[in-house]
């Protein structure tokens, strides 16, 4: 499936995206704050496309102007959620390359996935989380209508080999329907 917004194309990842993925995912300001290690090579990025980013409902975030991947966004099913999501709920996760920070691109992408989750997939609610200190992600969630729900301390961050505090926000379908989508 391909989703479009005013400025973005959200499309499935392709192995040919490995170079652009590496370009942004090798930056230590991106992955570690989101819970994953920096990419070490184009081949590393290609393998992550194959093994992680090829999951259902995972999209390359691309500018409409060139359709080149500059970030990623995806819906995480309840069984793989970072928190206790009900069967009809979903979690959203995202990141974007540093040159694109502060332009409102990820909130635009999140809003597109909210619409998709609530109208196409029939979800009743959406979760989103951020690790302690990730203020950019916190602000994005607030812009997208998410409301603070709870904090989980001493959570294992397996990919980084450490323990963190994760804050969770929540948006029900009813809240979304009343919002200025």
């Amino acid at each position: 499936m391909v989703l479009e917004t005013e400025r973005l194309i959200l499309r499935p990842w392709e192995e040919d995206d490995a170079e652009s993925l590496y370009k942004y995912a090798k930056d230590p300001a991106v992955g570690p704050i989101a819970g994953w290690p920096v990419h070490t090579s184009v081949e590393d990025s290609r393998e992550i496309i194959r093994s992680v980013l090829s999951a259902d409902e995972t999209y390359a975030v691309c500018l409409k102007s060139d359709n080149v991947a500059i970030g990623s966004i995806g819906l995480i099913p309840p069984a793989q959620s970072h928190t206790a999501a009900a069967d009809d709920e979903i979690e959203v996760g995202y990141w974007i390359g540093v040159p694109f920070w502060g332009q409102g691109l990820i909130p635009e992408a999140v809003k597109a996935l909210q619409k998709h989750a609530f109208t196409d997939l029939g979800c009743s609610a959406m979760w989103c989380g951020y690790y302690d200190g990730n203020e950019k992600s916190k602000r994005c969630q607030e812009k997208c209508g998410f409301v603070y729900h709870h904090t989980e301390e001493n959570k294992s961050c397996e990919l980084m080999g450490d323990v963190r505090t994760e804050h969770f926000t929540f948006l029900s379908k009813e809240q979304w329907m009343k919002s200025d989508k």
Side-chain angles (χ1 to χ4, degrees):
M1 171 172 277
V2 175
L3 303 170
E4 290 192 28
T5 70
E6 182 181 334
R7 299 179 289 171
L8 301 172
I9 296 171
L10 308 178
R11 61 164 174 78
W13 282 90
E14 302 166 357
E15 286 191 36
D16 290 346
D17 294 320
E19 285 190 33
S20 61
L21 174 57
Y22 176 63
K23 178 178 180 178
Y24 301 113
K26 70 181 179 181
D27 190 323
V30 176
I33 193 84
W36 46 270
V38 297
H39 290 203
T40 57
S41 67
V42 172
E43 191 49 46
D44 180 34
S45 292
R46 191 177 329 280
E47 180 53 34
I48 289 167
I49 290 170
R50 288 185 198 118
S51 61
V52 177
L53 300 177
S54 62
D56 288 344
E57 298 297 340
T58 300
Y59 302 90
V61 176
C62 308
L63 294 175
K64 276 187 172 177
S65 59
D66 60 12
N67 199 23
V68 173
I70 59 170
S72 187
I73 190 165
L75 297 174
I76 303 162
Q80 294 159 354
S81 177
H82 292 189
T83 194
D87 289 345
D88 63 346
E89 297 174 348
I90 200 117
E91 184 177 341
V92 64
Y94 51 78
W95 66 268
I96 195 163
V98 173
F100 305 96
W101 287 7
Q103 299 178 31
L105 296 170
I106 286 296
E108 189 173 317
V110 169
K111 289 177 182 180
L113 281 198
Q114 288 173 335
K115 181 178 181 184
H116 175 56
F118 292 135
T119 62
D120 301 333
L121 302 179
C123 296
S124 68
M126 184 178 277
W127 292 91
C128 198
Y130 62 93
Y131 290 117
D132 222 20
N134 191 345
E135 292 301 312
K136 287 176 178 43
S137 189
K138 177 184 178 185
R139 282 195 309 276
C140 174
Q141 292 169 41
E142 291 168 350
K143 289 177 188 174
C144 294
F146 288 92
V147 176
Y148 173 79
H149 190 275
H150 71 280
T151 296
E152 296 178 20
E153 296 182 356
N154 301 313
K155 287 195 67 168
S156 175
C157 182
E158 293 180 23
L159 294 176
M160 294 302 292
D162 60 17
V163 174
R164 299 180 178 200
T165 296
E166 190 167 7
H167 307 280
F168 288 92
T169 60
F170 182 84
L171 179 69
S172 70
K173 183 175 183 177
E174 290 75 24
Q175 291 167 315
W176 175 78
M177 289 176 70
K178 292 177 187 173
S179 71
D180 182 25
K181 306 176 216 51

